[in-house]
Amino acid sequence: MKRLCMILALILATALAGAVPTYAQQICAADLNGNGDATDPGETASCLPTQNGSFQCPLQQIACTVTAPGSDVCPVGAQYPCEAPASGGTPTCSPNACQDTGATPIVDTPPMSDPGVPADGAVDANGNCLANIEIFAGRAMRCRPPGLRNTFQNCCKDKGKIVKDGMGSSISSLGTKIAVAKGVLIGMKAAYAAFQAGATAGQAASAGANAIIAGIDPTSIAISLAINFMIEVLLQGCDQEDMETGMLRGSGMCHEIGSYCTAKILGICIQKAKGHCCFNTELGRIIQEQGRPQLISFNGIGWGTPKAPYCRGFTPDEFQALDFSKMDLSEYYADIEARTQGQIQIDMEGRINAYMQTVQP
């Protein structure tokens, strides 16, 4: 148990430093609950030294049976060696092999790091857009539920609504709301960089919050919630993409696609991640979810896969083909209870028209 705590502490330090471990450790993993992976607590452990200088996995460890003086056999299989612990005691065995991470490192899948569609594309001499126009485009993102790589902390846990859509139909207001969500990326980078440089979690969170609200309407984000969120996830060992996805996910701006394995040892998954498409606004996420089933261009593709989310926005033609009368926007209505549905509908139409004015030449 002491060695397990040591390896988890080392992995936490490595996660906060944003690097793959370079030290050698003897660890083992086992699918104890039969769900196809070893991502649950208690399914990964640090191996224990034995008297002959080797290591033994503590998972499913069992005392050996004495068959003759000085002769022992493993009850779960004679192929598993019986070894006495380095500290002394009865010989034991385990059906689970130890892995030297120095000789065969843990295989990690890097974060998605999707920058999304650039806000401003190339234009010709007359100001006409030369690139593809995408309306309500999203970004492929991931966060990690409890596993070995994040010290069994839930980096996907919902911490509440921090980023807000707000209301308003002007182009400048719409641009502000988009800037708020994009500012989350800048804020997470600032907080994570400060923490890596030696700042306390509180100092790093403050730096991140300052970066988020720079140049935008501060009422569009719950600053105190954002600071508390960043402090908590930094101390948990969540990385930058975990932080950003967690904040947008809790704010209702992400569509979860599913889970995939992001770290393996001996072919056994020891860390999972949840793939998402995250959008600049909650309304954008709702319209994507309600609009995609109406369009034949998304048939067979859907949202892609958890490991490779398909988060593109609508083309102008696709957007104009959407039937908003068939969309259930009750989730959005419920989120802004202080306004009548008629007022919301008017504002929504104004925002959509404003969006079309910004993307069309």
Side-chain angles (χ1 to χ4, degrees), residues 60-124:
Q60 299 178 304
Q61 192 178 55
I62 188 172
C64 289
T65 302
V66 178
T67 57
S71 178
D72 304 283
V73 66
C74 182
V76 295
Q79 68 271 33
Y80 304 117
C82 291
E83 303 287 353
S87 57
T90 303
T92 57
C93 61
S94 172
N96 303 300
C98 292
Q99 173 71 33
D100 183 351
T101 60
T104 309
I106 296 173
V107 179
D108 285 287
T109 300
M112 294 182 180
S113 301
D114 179 10
V117 179
D120 297 306
V123 296
D124 62 20

Side-chain angles (χ1 to χ4, degrees), residues 71-316:
S71 178
D72 304 283
V73 66
C74 182
V76 295
Q79 68 271 33
Y80 304 117
C82 291
E83 303 287 353
S87 57
T90 303
T92 57
C93 61
S94 172
N96 303 300
C98 292
Q99 173 71 33
D100 183 351
T101 60
T104 309
I106 296 173
V107 179
D108 285 287
T109 300
M112 294 182 180
S113 301
D114 179 10
V117 179
D120 297 306
V123 296
D124 62 20
N126 296 319
N128 298 312
C129 181
L130 298 177
N132 294 326
I133 296 174
E134 293 191 23
I135 302 171
F136 291 127
R139 292 166 51 210
M141 304 179 71
R142 69 97 173 103
C143 61
R144 295 173 296 169
L148 182 67
R149 282 310 212 192
N150 60 5
T151 64
F152 296 99
Q153 301 298 317
N154 187 1
C155 295
C156 295
K157 185 178 180 181
D158 186 354
K159 304 296 196 303
K161 187 175 290 292
I162 297 174
V163 184
K164 308 172 186 177
D165 270 19
M167 293 303 296
S169 59
S170 70
I171 296 177
S172 60
S173 176
L174 180 64
T176 296
K177 302 308 179 286
I178 293 175
V180 171
K182 287 187 175 294
V184 172
L185 171 60
I186 299 173
M188 296 302 102
K189 284 183 176 179
Y192 200 65
F195 197 62
Q196 285 181 306
T200 66
Q203 291 169 337
S206 295
N210 290 335
I212 289 175
I213 66 174
I216 66 172
D217 177 8
T219 63
S220 297
I221 187 166
I223 301 301
S224 60
L225 289 177
I227 291 177
N228 291 335
F229 169 82
M230 283 185 274
I231 290 175
E232 183 175 350
V233 296
L234 282 170
L235 292 176
Q236 286 180 339
C238 305
D239 65 18
Q240 178 187 310
E241 191 160 305
D242 285 323
M243 295 167 65
E244 187 184 359
T245 308
M247 186 176 288
L248 295 178
R249 172 187 165 104
S251 299
M253 297 181 177
C254 299
H255 175 86
E256 183 179 327
I257 301 168
S259 298
Y260 66 98
C261 185
T262 189
K264 292 183 178 181
I265 180 171
L266 293 176
I268 299 176
C269 183
I270 58 173
Q271 178 70 63
K272 284 186 175 180
K274 294 182 178 181
H276 299 76
C277 282
C278 294
F279 301 91
N280 292 323
T281 62
E282 183 178 18
L283 179 61
R285 188 265 302 168
I286 294 172
I287 291 178
Q288 277 275 358
E289 290 178 339
Q290 298 283 327
R292 287 190 178 207
Q294 297 184 19
L295 300 171
I296 193 172
S297 52
F298 286 94
N299 288 353
I301 300 176
W303 293 93
T305 66
K307 192 174 182 179
Y310 187 60
C311 305
R312 78 163 176 87
F314 300 119
T315 67

